[in-house]
């Protein structure tokens, strides 16, 4: 048997802390979303809805966030770290580096438009934090943005 010492907080106090933590997170997300150039066209109300539904995810250096060919239902905004976007070249089975993305950049819209298949790999090249948005919220809150819906990658796209 060991002696245990516990600290306890009451319901009221716990709920106040949870509420404040949520409010602080929400304010932090709002500030961040307002700093993303592509989201400048979104209203305060839309940004607030986004901040409500976003989920924070974390990745280690080298971890695949998105894998080419896999099905996907989520849109990502990078809030911390760097990622590499790569693509398998069907001609020679080699992996081509397309670009590097960092804080404020986003990806994953392709699988949410038309076919639900990921068209490139996105690999963490650092400790990465992403804010993830589900297909439904993407559709309602983000897909109307020209920047996102008309994003072209012709410069680097590998053709079969
Ligand atoms: Br970022 C980025 N650059 C490219 C590119 O040059 N070609 C393709 N196909 N995708 C690119 N991406 C992003 C885009 O958001 O990588 C994501 C991979 O998952 C893609 O969306 P996705 O196909 O859902």
């Amino acid at each position: 048997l060991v002696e245990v010492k516990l600290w306890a907080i009451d319901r009221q106090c716990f709920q106040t802390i949870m509420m404040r933590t949520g409010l602080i997170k929400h304010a932090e997300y709002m500030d961040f979303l307002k700093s993303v150039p592509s989201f400048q066209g979104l209203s305060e109300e839309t940004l607030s809805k986004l901040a409500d539904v976003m989920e924070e995810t974390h990745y280690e250096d080298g971890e695949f966030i998105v894998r080419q060919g896999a099905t996907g239902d989520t849109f990502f905004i990078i809030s911390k770290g760097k990622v590499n976007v790569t693509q398998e070249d069907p001609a020679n089975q080699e992996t081509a580096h397309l670009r590097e993305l960092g804080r404020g950049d986003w990806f994953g819209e392709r699988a949410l438009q038309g076919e639900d298949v990921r068209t490139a790999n996105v690999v963490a090249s650092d400790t990465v934090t992403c804010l993830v948005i589900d297909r439904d919220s993407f559709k309602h809150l983000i897909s109307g943005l020209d920047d996102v819906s008309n994003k072209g990658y012709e410069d680097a796209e590998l053709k079969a």
Side-chain angles (χ1 to χ4, degrees):
L1 268 166
V2 288
E3 203 176 304
V4 177
K5 239 184 209 167
L6 291 176
W7 291 94
I9 54 170
D10 62 29
R11 165 187 302 273
Q12 176 76 49
C13 183
F14 175 75
Q15 285 182 349
T16 305
I17 291 168
M18 292 304 281
M19 167 88 100
R20 282 198 197 142
T21 314
L23 290 173
I24 290 165
K25 263 280 173 230
H26 190 271
E28 182 198 307
Y29 289 163
M30 288 294 282
D31 281 348
F32 172 61
L33 289 173
K34 284 178 188 170
S35 78
V36 176
S38 302
F39 297 166
Q40 298 294 312
L42 296 176
S43 66
E44 188 84 6
E45 192 191 344
T46 302
L47 292 174
S48 179
K49 284 183 187 163
L50 274 178
D52 281 341
V53 299
M54 286 183 329
E55 297 281 349
E56 206 171 299
T57 55
H58 302 271
Y59 306 90
E60 299 300 320
D61 185 3
E63 200 174 331
F64 277 67
I65 302 172
V66 155
R67 206 176 277 272
Q68 184 178 352
T71 56
D73 278 305
T74 43
F75 177 76
F76 300 80
I77 308 160
I78 303 168
S79 77
K80 183 185 164 289
K82 301 224 170 292
V83 305
N84 281 308
V85 183
T86 66
Q87 202 171 40
E88 316 301 331
D89 185 343
N92 59 12
Q93 268 103 61
E94 277 177 23
T95 305
H97 183 262
L98 300 184
R99 63 192 92 247
E100 188 186 56
L101 306 177
R103 180 172 166 88
D105 292 326
W106 45 263
F107 58 89
E109 79 289 359
R110 285 295 177 95
L112 304 180
Q113 305 162 332
E115 270 191 272
D116 65 352
V117 178
R118 298 296 187 191
T119 58
N121 301 300
V122 182
V123 189
S125 64
D126 197 347
T127 319
V128 170
T129 304
C130 286
L131 301 170
V132 184
I133 292 153
D134 65 276
R135 178 184 288 275
D136 236 47
S137 303
F138 173 83
K139 192 172 139 202
H140 292 118
L141 304 171
I142 295 179
S143 66
L145 288 171
D146 281 352
D147 260 21
V148 177
S149 58
N150 298 327
K151 181 85 178 169
Y153 301 105
E154 294 81 5
D155 54 323
E157 198 72 18
L158 298 166
K159 295 272 182 304

